[in-house]
Amino acid sequence: MTRRLTYEELEERVHELEAKVAERGRGMDEMSENAASGLSEILEALKEIASGNPQVRIDETPGSDLIAKIKRCVNSTARNLSEIVDLSHEFAMGLAEYFDVLHKASEGDLTTRVRGSSHIELLEALKQMTNGMIESVSREMDNRKRAEEQTQQQTEFLSLILESLPHPFYAINASDYKVTMANSAAHKGTLPDNITCHQLTHKSDNPCGSASHPCPLEAIRKTKKPVIVEHLHYDKDGNPRHVEVHGYPILDADGNLSQIIESSLDITARKQAEEALRESERKYSTLVNNSPTGIYIDQGGKIVFANTRLARIYGYPKEELIGIASRQLVHPEDKAFTDDIRERRLRGKEAPSEYDARGLTKGGETVWIKRRNTRIEYLGKPAILGNVVDITERKHAEEALKASEQELRESEEKYRTLFDYDPNSIFLLELGTFNILDVNARALACYGYEKEELIGKSFLELGAGDFDDGVLSTTELLSTTLCSAHPKVQHRRKDGGHFYVDVYACRTKHSRKYGIIATTVDVTESLVKETQLIQASKMATLGEMATGVAHELNQPLSVIKTASTFLKKKVDQKEGIKDEILKTMAEEIDSHVDRASRIINHMREFGRQSEVKKEKVQVNEPLNKALEIFSQQLILREIAVTKELGENMPPVLGNANRLEQVFINLLINARDAIEDRWQGEEHGKADKKIMLKTSLKGKQVLIEVADTGAGVPKAIENKIFEPFFTTKKVGEGTGLGLSISYGIIQEYEGTIRAVSGKHGGASFVITFPVAGEKR
Amino acid sequence: MKETVLLVDDEEGIRNVLSISLADAGYEVHTAESAVKALEIFRKLSPAIVLADIKMPGVDGMELLRKVKEERHDTEVIMITGYGDLDLAARSKELEATDFVTKPISQEALEIALERAQERIRARQRDKAGSGIPSFAQ
């Protein structure tokens, strides 16, 4: 075969042949039966050919023309096909080599080439094309390799530089804030995947965006230009740092922002320094302006700086002070003195660094100031730094203090005089011990001691004997109250003589120590007078009782008289007396003399001046005694007495004799009231009655003396205890009975009041606290 | 023959001493310590003379005097009064007491009073025969 056929041509020919076969086939419908077998033969051959066997041949002779023709045609096709199969084989072999070369090249072997030559045009073309291509790729590969090496070197160099940078440096993806690269100053260890810039530097899940923290990425996105912002970042160790963030844009080929690069400079120290400076400036300014000290700088005699306080001290507006002569602020009288100091200081001579001087305010007032001046350099020239303290108030206070000290001295003198010449004895006592700390002249005269003897002695030692009640209550009372009075306390002079004093004790503060001022007033004389008065009243009572007493005495006297006259008669008549009768008479005389003596003794006892001393008294005793001395005259007047005296009554603190006097006074009054009421009037036996009752009511002893007399009219109820008040006729009463009774009862801390009695008369109710119980 | 005397006094001493003295003088003496007791004895024994203290608790001498005079007018009643009780003495005279003696009782005064009482008794006894108006010698 000389002609080279292309695949297309071959295919076309096949198609032509097939089309011919198909055409012939259509004519087969009219073919005869014998033609059918020929066709079958032909079809078998074609089948063989179609299954890939071009060697098949059929006998061309038998059959019709048509069949013969077809047979020839088939055979020729088979021949053609066989030729095609041969060509195809060569082509496939060429292609295999071609693919082998391409494979090698693709695996990187760029030295490989397609070698063999083929008469197939297509293969030759392919060979040339492939080899050319491989050569060009090989060239390109070499170039790329060189470029890559260069890039690698550059990257390493860059990375070295970045790692060597002390400040954080990182690249951020513009679309999602992801950090794509960061140097070791920016983070520790491996950079976590997908970490954002805000997570890395702010520990925040949200991007920055506040006024104080503008996002550099946002800024760059808008302007596509580098920015510098200040942020507060956490460094890789987690510490907050002030940083200056420098951001640079990285644009892609289309000019869109793809990444930014950030580097942050640590400006913490600078920030702190700035803040410290601001703070120190603020402090300094506050200090200077609010300083309690006036501060100024004097340069060349003129004030070049003044603080608020200085302006206030001198009464100038601050700005007005600047530029004025500092001398202008000095009081005219102190100018010479301050000038001298100033001269000395500027000449470097010895000068007081601190001194008091008078200043002059804008308003012309004098202020006292304390100055302390120092030489300084101010704006390169010598100057004086002055500190000024306003001590006007202190000066005034000092003067006031001097004046008050003088006043105090005078006052002390005055009180000393009062103290010394007080007509009463005054003692200053230590609280607790009652030791005498000071004593006045009167006390020395009164108690007969020298001052040295009394100082340090206990005040209680001045008490005579049983000075118990007063002292105890003094101690007690002073623990709770400020002042207390202790009447009629017996005191002793140095020579042993006794006298009565009222003691007044008051708590006081003396030389910052608590003490007691005890004043004793000599009441001996008034006590004597009082006693005499009580005595006089008692005598009056006795006088009033005289009739009754006479009756009382009459009884025993009668017995004695009768007995004695009988005996005398018998003796006179010289008649014997039977022993029995003599004995009876003697016994009667004896017992009635005793009786008379008792009455007289009782009278004498009652008439005796009673003691001031208090003792424990059972009130029934003096009441019975009073009744005893009084009973005869009550019988005389047909006045019945009923007694209802409480049993086992506790004692009260008083004096039996005086209480008896009180009861007698009350009995006299009752008697008189009854007489007054029933005089000249018809009355039954029970109408004239005195009722006596004693009882215990809580901590009080109650004594009631009630009568069936005229009663106490309301109008005079308040007067009956007044001295000299009496309803009796002139000469019948002193008007002292009830008033003295009242005084006595009060002294024993008792009370007395008159109420209307149940039986129409008066009822006097007396109460006394049980001894040992406070009222 | 001396008369029967009833001595009334609340004072035991007086009763003791005076009764001895009266008995010694020849009287038949009975004593009572109160007016009530005295009236009992008076009704039983009808003494000719009653010697009574005026001041006594309970019913006093004056009341006794009145009662005695009511019951037996002829009874001679001598009152004993305290010192200076002339007021009561005068009132007792009004109630027809024979006489009064004051304490302390003087033997002499008592004897005179008793004498006078006996005199009156005797006079009355004489009058029983002739006429006789009781007289009160001062």
Side-chain angles (χ1 to χ4, degrees):
Chain A
M1 200 181 313
T2 52
R3 197 180 155 246
R4 284 180 186 164
L5 285 169
T6 63
Y7 250 6
E8 285 83 3
E9 281 168 330
L10 278 174
E11 248 177 10
E12 207 175 297
R13 205 169 290 174
V14 170
H15 280 305
E16 276 172 18
L17 287 175
E18 277 174 350
K20 273 179 190 165
V21 169
E23 211 178 74
R24 295 276 164 90
R26 274 190 300 273
M28 290 298 284
D29 293 336
E30 298 149 20
M31 279 186 194
S32 57
E33 213 153 293
N34 58 356
S37 64
L39 277 173
S40 171
E41 202 181 346
I42 292 162
L43 282 172
E44 282 297 318
L46 284 173
K47 253 189 209 164
E48 277 288 305
I49 293 164
S51 67
N53 185 14
Q55 306 301 327
V56 79
R57 295 294 185 273
I58 48 176
D59 184 13
E60 293 172 8
T61 48
S64 62
D65 285 349
L66 177 64
I67 297 299
K69 262 189 192 165
I70 290 167
K71 283 185 179 171
R72 276 191 304 276
C73 196
V74 171
N75 285 335
S76 135
T77 301
R79 274 190 302 275
N80 282 341
L81 271 174
S82 178
E83 195 178 331
I84 286 166
V85 169
D86 286 343
L87 278 173
S88 294
H89 181 71
E90 190 187 336
F91 187 69
M93 290 304 285
L95 272 179
E97 192 193 354
Y98 170 77
F99 280 120
D100 187 45
V101 168
L102 277 181
H103 178 69
K104 279 179 183 160
S106 75
E107 286 198 324
D109 183 8
L110 294 177
T111 55
T112 189
R113 295 289 183 275
V114 183
R115 303 247 181 258
S117 62
S118 168
H119 54 271
I120 299 174
E121 213 174 310
L122 176 69
L123 284 180
E124 272 305 309
L126 262 175
K127 175 185 159 186
Q128 280 166 11
M129 189 186 79
T130 300
N131 285 345
M133 189 185 77
I134 289 171
E135 270 163 29
S136 101
V137 167
S138 177
R139 265 196 313 275
E140 202 178 312
M141 289 290 274
D142 281 348
N143 287 338
R144 191 182 293 170
K145 205 171 180 180
R146 269 198 303 280
E148 272 176 358
E149 273 168 12
Q150 240 170 346
T151 309
Q152 180 72 19
Q153 278 171 2
Q154 273 176 354
T155 307
E156 274 169 18
F157 178 64
L158 209 63
S159 158
L160 198 67
I161 288 171
L162 286 180
E163 286 302 319
S164 71
L165 284 177
H167 48 262
F169 190 95
Y170 41 87
I172 302 164
N173 204 326
S175 59
D176 55 9
Y177 301 93
K178 292 273 162 62
V179 178
T180 54
M181 186 283 287
N183 70 350
S184 55
H187 71 97
K188 260 183 179 168
T190 325
L191 185 73
D193 283 339
N194 294 327
I195 191 167
T196 60
C197 59
H198 41 86
Q199 281 166 341
L200 181 69
T201 60
H202 293 282
K203 295 183 181 169
S204 165
D205 286 333
N206 298 309
C208 303
S210 66
S212 61
H213 274 78
C215 176
L217 177 55
E218 288 293 325
I220 294 170
R221 196 178 279 148
K222 278 177 197 154
T223 61
K224 299 208 169 71
K225 286 195 170 116
V227 293
I228 299 172
V229 295
E230 279 184 18
H231 270 198
L232 186 66
H233 274 186
Y234 291 100
D235 67 10
K236 59 178 181 176
D237 297 318
N239 301 314
R241 311 293 294 178
H242 284 285
V243 291
E244 196 173 81
V245 180
H246 294 251
Y248 302 93
I250 295 177
L251 304 178
D252 65 8
D254 299 329
N256 295 320
L257 185 71
S258 63
Q259 290 194 73
I260 67 162
I261 287 171
E262 275 186 14
S263 69
S264 21
L265 294 174
D266 190 336
I267 56 166
T268 306
R270 192 181 85 200
K271 274 272 181 192
Q272 281 170 346
E274 275 172 11
E275 186 52 38
L277 186 63
R278 258 199 305 282
E279 180 64 15
S280 108
E281 267 175 4
R282 200 173 53 74
K283 267 191 199 153
Y284 162 75
S285 157
T286 312
L287 250 170
V288 168
N289 277 318
N290 295 322
S291 163
T293 310
I295 298 168
Y296 70 90
I297 294 170
D298 170 336
Q299 203 160 43
K302 286 200 161 61
I303 288 171
V304 293
F305 171 83
N307 72 346
T308 317
R309 180 70 194 161
L310 190 88
R312 211 176 295 147
I313 290 173
Y314 288 100
Y316 284 87
K318 200 156 118 186
E319 55 279 4
E320 225 175 90
L321 274 174
I322 308 302
I324 70 165
S326 57
R327 245 177 131 253
Q328 200 178 317
L329 300 176
V330 182
H331 191 279
E333 287 176 31
D334 284 353
K335 269 184 177 144
F337 148 68
T338 53
D339 282 350
D340 180 49
I341 292 173
R342 182 192 164 83
E343 264 323 287
R344 296 171 74 87
R345 176 165 298 114
L346 285 175
R347 284 167 195 274
K349 285 190 189 170
E350 204 174 299
S353 61
E354 196 177 295
Y355 58 92
D356 293 356
R358 278 169 295 175
L360 201 64
T361 67
K362 193 185 178 190
E365 280 174 57
T366 305
V367 283
W368 271 100
I369 53 164
K370 184 178 275 298
R371 298 173 73 155
R372 189 194 290 123
N373 292 348
T374 324
R375 261 193 75 166
I376 57 158
E377 285 270 317
Y378 184 69
L379 304 174
K381 287 181 197 164
I384 292 168
L385 173 68
N387 284 282
V388 175
V389 179
D390 187 345
I391 55 164
T392 311
E393 267 179 45
R394 198 168 81 199
K395 281 279 177 188
H396 287 168
E398 276 171 13
E399 278 163 27
L401 188 67
K402 266 184 207 158
S404 74
E405 273 171 355
Q406 177 65 24
E407 224 170 275
L408 191 66
R409 262 198 301 281
E410 280 169 17
S411 155
E412 265 180 1
E413 256 167 57
K414 197 159 73 193
Y415 280 106
R416 189 75 220 177
T417 311
L418 279 175
F419 179 69
D420 275 340
Y421 295 99
D422 195 279
N424 298 313
S425 305
I426 303 174
F427 299 84
L428 182 64
L429 310 178
E430 198 173 57
L431 193 69
T433 66
F434 295 100
N435 281 344
I436 297 168
L437 302 173
D438 199 0
V439 67
N440 73 346
R442 177 67 194 163
L444 300 176
C446 194
Y447 287 78
Y449 283 97
E450 294 299 318
K451 193 166 185 173
E452 307 74 65
E453 293 174 308
L454 273 183
I455 305 291
K457 197 180 172 87
S458 168
F459 179 69
L460 306 186
E461 283 179 46
L462 295 174
D466 46 357
F467 173 49
D468 48 356
D469 188 45
V471 176
L472 283 175
S473 52
T474 307
T475 329
E476 267 170 45
L477 281 169
L478 282 172
S479 59
T480 50
T481 53
L482 278 176
C483 281
S484 62
H486 313 275
K488 294 174 196 168
V489 177
Q490 204 174 21
H491 269 196
R492 195 168 42 193
R493 281 187 212 93
K494 191 188 174 187
D495 62 15
H498 290 184
F499 63 112
Y500 282 93
V501 290
D502 283 353
V503 181
Y504 300 96
C506 276
R507 249 163 113 155
T508 179
K509 215 178 171 184
H510 170 72
S511 305
R512 293 188 193 81
K513 266 161 60 184
Y514 282 103
I516 301 164
I517 288 184
T519 309
T520 67
V521 181
D522 188 341
V523 292
T524 313
E525 206 173 311
S526 66
L527 212 58
V528 167
K529 292 257 169 64
E530 186 188 291
T531 313
Q532 282 169 353
L533 181 67
I534 291 172
Q535 191 58 22
S537 149
K538 200 187 273 177
M539 287 303 148
T541 307
L542 273 177
E544 285 188 62
M545 283 160 56
T547 334
V549 171
H551 274 281
E552 194 76 22
L553 273 176
N554 232 3
Q555 300 288 4
L557 287 178
S558 260
V559 176
I560 295 161
K561 180 73 179 172
T562 309
S564 60
T565 46
F566 168 78
L567 292 174
K568 210 171 94 200
K569 190 184 89 184
K570 287 303 237 183
V571 170
D572 285 351
Q573 293 171 356
K574 301 210 179 336
E575 287 174 17
I577 307 166
K578 286 184 196 159
D579 280 358
E580 194 189 323
I581 290 173
L582 197 57
K583 190 179 176 236
T584 307
M585 287 306 194
E587 276 170 1
E588 287 297 339
I589 290 170
D590 190 61
S591 76
H592 283 84
V593 166
D594 282 353
R595 183 173 161 192
S597 300
R598 268 206 309 280
I599 294 165
I600 290 160
N601 276 342
H602 189 176
M603 295 292 285
R604 196 189 286 146
E605 212 175 278
F606 177 67
R608 198 192 63 214
Q609 191 162 307
S610 52
E611 293 230 6
V612 178
K613 235 178 81 181
K614 291 182 196 175
E615 61 208 5
K616 285 184 175 177
V617 184
Q618 220 270 21
V619 292
N620 289 351
E621 281 171 33
L623 191 61
N624 275 325
K625 270 192 154 181
L627 195 61
E628 195 186 321
I629 205 170
F630 216 68
S631 63
Q632 204 57 36
Q633 52 180 294
L634 293 179
I635 292 168
L636 271 178
R637 288 176 170 81
E638 298 171 318
I639 296 168
V641 178
T642 62
K643 287 199 290 183
E644 205 183 306
L645 305 187
E647 279 173 31
N648 303 322
M649 297 280 285
V652 303
L653 218 55
N655 179 285
N657 187 277
R658 287 206 168 165
L659 288 178
E660 190 182 332
Q661 186 178 355
V662 169
F663 298 142
I664 287 175
N665 278 331
L666 291 174
L667 287 172
I668 289 173
N669 281 344
R671 180 198 71 190
D672 294 348
I674 291 168
E675 290 291 278
D676 208 28
R677 162 85 175 76
W678 300 102
Q679 199 176 27
E681 208 177 310
E682 271 308 307
H683 55 83
K685 280 273 164 200
D687 289 338
K688 292 162 87 172
K689 220 162 68 179
I690 293 175
M691 289 135 296
L692 303 176
K693 193 179 167 186
T694 60
S695 58
L696 180 68
K697 198 173 179 186
K699 301 257 159 83
Q700 300 276 314
V701 169
L702 233 74
I703 305 129
E704 286 176 70
V705 180
D707 60 54
T708 54
V712 181
K714 273 264 177 247
I716 60 163
E717 226 171 53
N718 296 328
K719 290 188 188 162
I720 56 171
F721 296 110
E722 284 175 15
F724 307 113
F725 178 83
T726 180
T727 56
K728 293 171 188 170
K729 288 186 211 118
V730 177
E732 277 192 3
T734 56
L736 287 175
L738 274 183
S739 126
I740 282 170
S741 299
Y742 183 78
I744 291 169
I745 290 163
Q746 269 209 323
E747 192 168 331
Y748 303 145
E749 300 188 359
T751 65
I752 178 169
R753 62 183 202 280
V755 296
S756 290
K758 284 179 217 155
H759 310 279
S763 175
F764 285 84
V765 181
I766 302 164
T767 65
F768 287 113
V770 170
E773 302 281 353
K774 290 270 161 238
R775 231 203 307 187
Chain B
M1 180 59 205
K2 295 266 170 139
E3 308 293 337
T4 307
V5 174
L6 175 57
L7 173 59
V8 190
D9 199 310
D10 59 322
E11 286 282 330
E12 194 195 355
I14 296 284
R15 289 199 305 273
N16 283 348
V17 178
L18 206 51
S19 62
I20 289 173
S21 181
L22 290 169
D24 187 71
Y27 294 99
E28 188 190 333
V29 185
H30 297 275
T31 59
E33 72 268 24
S34 71
V36 176
K37 202 79 179 260
L39 273 173
E40 268 176 42
I41 297 169
F42 175 76
R43 281 162 194 161
K44 204 155 71 188
L45 301 174
S46 294
I49 303 166
V50 172
L51 192 60
D53 193 2
I54 293 180
K55 287 290 166 198
M56 282 189 296
V59 183
D60 66 4
M62 298 297 281
E63 191 66 29
L64 182 63
L65 169 60
R66 201 180 289 125
K67 283 265 169 63
V68 166
K69 279 292 176 184
E70 257 174 38
E71 293 192 13
R72 200 161 63 92
H73 193 263
D74 282 355
T75 313
E76 298 300 322
V77 183
I78 301 167
M79 304 306 291
I80 305 170
T81 75
Y83 176 79
D85 252 347
L86 291 173
D87 210 30
L88 283 169
R91 272 171 61 198
S92 67
K93 278 280 184 72
E94 284 167 28
L95 290 169
E96 295 179 81
T98 311
D99 205 346
F100 67 89
V101 291
T102 60
K103 281 185 181 175
I105 304 162
S106 95
Q107 188 67 32
E108 219 178 351
L110 182 63
E111 272 173 14
I112 292 169
L114 285 168
E115 202 57 46
R116 179 176 291 154
Q118 281 190 318
E119 189 61 37
R120 283 159 60 98
I121 294 166
R122 279 195 294 271
R124 262 199 305 280
Q125 280 168 351
R126 278 196 301 274
D127 288 346
K128 273 181 184 169
S131 71
I133 302 151
S135 70
F136 198 86
Q138 198 63 41

